[in-house]
Amino acid sequence: MKSKAIFYHAGCPVCIEAEQNVANALDPEKYEVESVHLGNDKSRLNEAESSGVKSVPALVLDGTPFHINFGAGIEDLK
Amino acid sequence: MKSKAIFYHAGCPVCIEAEQNVANALDPEKYEVESVHLGNDKSRLNEAESSGVKSVPALVLDGTPFHINFGAGIEDLK
């Protein structure tokens, strides 16, 4: 069974670069990748924060957050 | 042909978590992953800095650096 990978971003240049590189580099045999634009989909902000996401772009693998470079703080997306 | 992915770390807990999750999540069909411990292998520091690595853990995909969370600054490893 595949694990869940959620890539949170906000459409910023740093986010797009991370998505095109890191998110797309994940093993499709292992991960089902979902991409969430927190700037457009604010209803997912609580979920992102609950997973420990502090900034975007961030990749949550099996519930563990990994912040990739820095595009924007979560507070700036509210 | 596979692309090169280099995971730079320093053996710190944040580094190990990132390696076990992010580095191991990469698609083995696309990437040949090398793991470099900059604390032990200081001869690779220049190469890491040339790729734009400012802190570890960091993942360099096709020459582009992605900093994952924060374990230690490069300056602290010299």
Side-chain angles (χ1 to χ4, degrees):
Chain A
M1 190 177 136
K2 290 190 191 182
S3 296
K4 183 87 178 171
I6 308 179
F7 179 74
Y8 292 104
H9 68 106
C12 52
V14 171
C15 295
I16 292 166
E17 189 174 37
E19 182 169 22
Q20 289 177 344
N21 286 273
V22 182
N24 289 339
L26 298 181
D27 186 349
E29 299 286 319
K30 284 186 189 164
Y31 290 94
E32 184 191 327
V33 184
E34 182 188 12
S35 182
V36 177
H37 189 311
L38 288 175
N40 294 340
D41 195 353
K42 291 180 192 294
S43 67
R44 304 288 295 268
L45 276 166
N46 278 347
E47 164 204 302
E49 285 195 307
S50 295
S51 297
V53 173
K54 309 278 191 213
S55 63
V56 290
L59 184 66
V60 175
L61 295 178
D62 302 319
T64 303
F66 295 96
H67 300 90
I68 304 167
N69 292 344
F70 185 84
I74 279 286
E75 291 302 318
D76 299 326
L77 301 174
K78 290 183 179 175
Chain B
M1 192 176 131
K2 290 190 192 183
S3 296
K4 183 86 179 172
I6 308 179
F7 179 75
Y8 293 104
H9 68 108
C12 51
V14 170
C15 295
I16 292 167
E17 188 175 37
E19 182 170 22
Q20 289 176 343
N21 286 273
V22 183
N24 288 340
L26 298 181
D27 187 349
E29 298 287 317
K30 285 187 188 164
Y31 289 93
E32 184 190 326
V33 184
E34 182 188 11
S35 182
V36 176
H37 189 311
L38 288 175
N40 295 338
D41 194 353
K42 291 180 193 293
S43 67
R44 303 287 294 270
L45 277 166
N46 278 347
E47 165 204 301
E49 284 195 306
S50 296
S51 297
V53 174
K54 308 279 190 212
S55 62
V56 291
L59 184 66
V60 175
L61 296 177
D62 302 320
T64 303
F66 295 95
H67 299 90
I68 303 168
N69 291 345
F70 185 85
I74 280 285
E75 292 301 319
D76 298 325
L77 301 175
K78 290 183 179 175

